Amino acid sequence: MNKFCPHCGKPINSSNKFCPNCGRKIISSRSEIHSNRLKSQRRNIIGSIVAVLVLIMSGWGLYQHGRNLANGTVIGGNGKSTNAEIKKIPHKQLAAWAILYADKKYGKKWGEAADDLRSGHLTIESYSKYRFGDYEISATDGSRLYVINDQVGYLVSKDNKEITYVGNKSSYSNRSVLNQIYPEIKSENTEKNVNIWNDNLSIVAGKSDEKANDRGSKTNTKSKKTTSEDKLWSSTQNDELISYMDEFGDKMHQSYEHYTDNGSLTTAAGQEYPNWLSQGRFKLSSGDCDSRDPEDMSSINLKWNPQVDKEEDEDDTYDVVAIFNYNGKSAEQHITYLFCFYHDEPVALIDQTTNGDYTIVHATANKDLTSHFEEIVEKD
């Protein structure tokens, strides 16, 4: 019977152990064929097992790496802190974040503190209570009070979840503070820089609360004696603000009308300024996507008073010196800016209220507009 090579199909002799045509070994029996197939299957199974083990070990390595990162750093990969991580944050690191955040949100005095932080010349004092102008702030329920200067400071809750910014003109509250603050600070500052800055600042125990309060009172008294007759707003400053708002409106593609001290300025929502200042019920929002019920917000007083001077800063009132309004195509699109002085400090409030029992205002988040208003105030 003719025999053929199982590999190339050429005829071979039955005595051949290797094919004379392709040179490959001739399998002499079915048992050998079966044996080779079993060996091949074993090799495939072993290879599969090894591959699975490699995947398992790789996954375990990634898991352990993730655990090590979580245990070795405050911030997770999503840029937010878990409740467990919040407790690990040093006071100095939290101070750096709090100050940089306040610089973005709350204006001039915080900007000075942020500059001192970056230059490595910032010292923060801690107190159980402190008087900021007419406001006495106390640290209660395990919270900690940190004073930047006689005008601004902040309270940290016992669990580090909440920071309340305090000062001589108003207060702001930010819940779950790290979840809000860290992503904003990280977008503008590297984590390395923030860590360097918090290493440069100092937190020390303040003098006795009584002396601290006396110091604040003396500072305020001295200020009143030397500047009580100074006017805070002039016609020259008003003209400069009008010129700036014309430029601002062009840039924003909005046409702003300003109140000229005659008649009234009516918004698309129906408010008639400045009479609305005395008739309206105003609430102050933090402006940070505040979803609280207006009933829970702080009520504030506003009055039209372009002749305001520093003798009047004892009154807890926002003295409005200029009003600008833009009416869009509907009530929802109106924007009204109320340029004010509150305890001698310039504040630009914005009203976009469309309905309800209250007019909700908040300090504008537009830093360009805020800084220009402050520059105009400082010129005179």
Side-chain angles (χ1 to χ4, degrees):
M1 184 191 312
N2 290 333
K3 189 174 181 180
F4 299 91
C5 175
H7 304 294
C8 65
K10 300 290 185 181
I12 58 174
N13 294 326
S14 59
S15 61
N16 290 138
K17 292 184 178 181
F18 295 90
C19 176
N21 296 295
C22 66
R24 299 179 68 180
K25 184 178 180 181
I26 305 301
I27 300 173
S28 59
S29 66
R30 291 189 177 182
S31 62
E32 187 175 354
I33 294 173
H34 180 68
S35 175
N36 287 345
R37 286 178 179 172
L38 288 176
K39 289 179 181 178
S40 176
Q41 290 174 353
R42 289 193 193 100
R43 284 196 296 269
N44 290 337
I45 292 171
I46 291 171
S48 298
I49 292 173
V50 171
V52 170
L53 288 174
V54 169
L55 288 174
I56 291 173
M57 293 304 294
S58 298
W60 177 254
L62 290 173
Y63 170 72
Q64 288 287 48
H65 178 66
R67 285 192 62 189
N68 291 337
L69 285 177
N71 292 333
T73 183
V74 173
I75 298 303
N78 61 357
K80 294 183 179 180
S81 299
T82 67
N83 289 338
E85 290 166 340
I86 285 174
K87 296 180 180 178
K88 301 178 183 178
I89 295 177
H91 296 172
K92 288 173 65 174
Q93 184 175 0
L94 183 56
W97 292 355
I99 291 166
L100 293 171
Y101 183 78
D103 177 30
K104 289 166 58 68
K105 295 291 183 180
Y106 306 127
K108 179 180 173 184
K109 295 302 177 184
W110 287 104
E112 295 173 358
D115 290 341
D116 289 341
L117 171 67
R118 296 185 181 98
S119 65
H121 296 97
L122 180 64
T123 298
I124 302 173
E125 297 179 341
S126 62
Y127 290 94
S128 61
K129 63 179 178 179
Y130 193 88
R131 180 176 292 279
F132 297 92
D134 294 333
Y135 296 86
E136 183 174 286
I137 308 298
S138 296
T140 58
D141 300 324
S143 63
R144 304 179 302 280
L145 172 61
Y146 297 101
V147 175
I148 308 299
N149 53 50
D150 286 336
Q151 298 189 10
V152 292
Y154 62 95
L155 277 162
V156 181
S157 63
K158 182 179 181 180
D159 56 9
N160 278 17
K161 289 184 179 180
E162 182 177 344
I163 280 186
T164 303
Y165 292 97
V166 294
N168 65 357
K169 62 179 181 179
S170 57
S171 62
Y172 312 88
S173 180
N174 293 282
R175 290 174 177 27
S176 301
V177 64
L178 295 180
N179 288 338
Q180 296 179 17
I181 288 180
Y182 183 76
E184 290 207 35
I185 299 308
K186 188 176 181 181
S187 68
E188 296 186 1
N189 306 277
T190 66
E191 189 166 356
K192 179 180 178 181
N193 281 345
V194 176
N195 289 337
I196 291 173
W197 294 333
N198 77 56
D199 286 340
N200 287 339
L201 68 84
S202 300
I203 298 179
V204 300
K207 298 177 182 179
S208 69
D209 296 325
E210 182 179 355
K211 291 182 179 179
N213 292 336
D214 288 345
R215 184 180 68 178
S217 299
K218 290 177 182 178
T219 301
N220 291 338
T221 303
K222 181 178 179 181
S223 175
K224 291 172 188 175
K225 287 181 179 178
T226 57
T227 62
S228 63
E229 296 180 358
D230 292 342
K231 292 289 183 182
L232 293 175
W233 194 243
S234 69
S235 59
T236 301
Q237 291 168 315
N238 195 61
D239 291 341
E240 288 187 27
L241 183 59
I242 291 172
S243 177
Y244 167 72
M245 288 301 292
D246 286 341
E247 296 175 4
F248 176 79
D250 291 340
K251 183 170 64 175
M252 304 298 290
H253 305 291
Q254 299 164 344
S255 178
Y256 281 89
E257 176 187 2
H258 69 273
Y259 178 63
T260 61
D261 213 12
N262 290 308
S264 62
L265 188 157
T266 305
T267 74
Q271 298 107 321
E272 293 188 358
Y273 286 102
N275 290 340
W276 188 251
L277 297 172
S278 58
Q279 298 175 5
R281 302 169 66 192
F282 286 85
K283 293 281 189 173
L284 182 66
S285 162
S286 71
D288 295 330
C289 301
D290 199 331
S291 61
R292 295 177 300 156
D293 189 306
E295 293 285 354
D296 297 328
M297 298 179 187
S298 299
S299 295
I300 60 171
N301 298 318
L302 297 94
K303 70 177 179 180
W304 174 246
N305 187 18
Q307 305 302 320
V308 62
D309 59 44
K310 292 188 179 181
E311 291 181 344
E312 297 173 277
D313 75 344
E314 291 286 347
D315 187 12
D316 193 28
T317 298
Y318 286 79
D319 291 290
V320 181
V321 297
I323 305 173
F324 290 81
N325 180 67
Y326 162 73
N327 284 329
K329 295 180 180 180
S330 65
E332 287 75 14
Q333 294 179 327
H334 93 88
I335 303 172
T336 306
Y337 285 105
L338 306 170
F339 292 91
C340 318
F341 283 92
Y342 187 72
H343 293 290
D344 292 354
E345 294 289 337
V347 181
L349 299 177
I350 184 170
D351 160 29
Q352 293 178 285
T353 308
T354 57
N355 52 48
D357 296 330
Y358 299 97
T359 300
I360 310 299
V361 297
H362 62 83
T364 178
N366 190 302
K367 297 187 72 173
D368 183 65
L369 187 147
T370 299
S371 63
H372 272 80
F373 182 39
E374 290 175 350
E375 287 174 9
I376 292 171
V377 170
E378 291 174 356
K379 280 183 180 179
D380 198 47

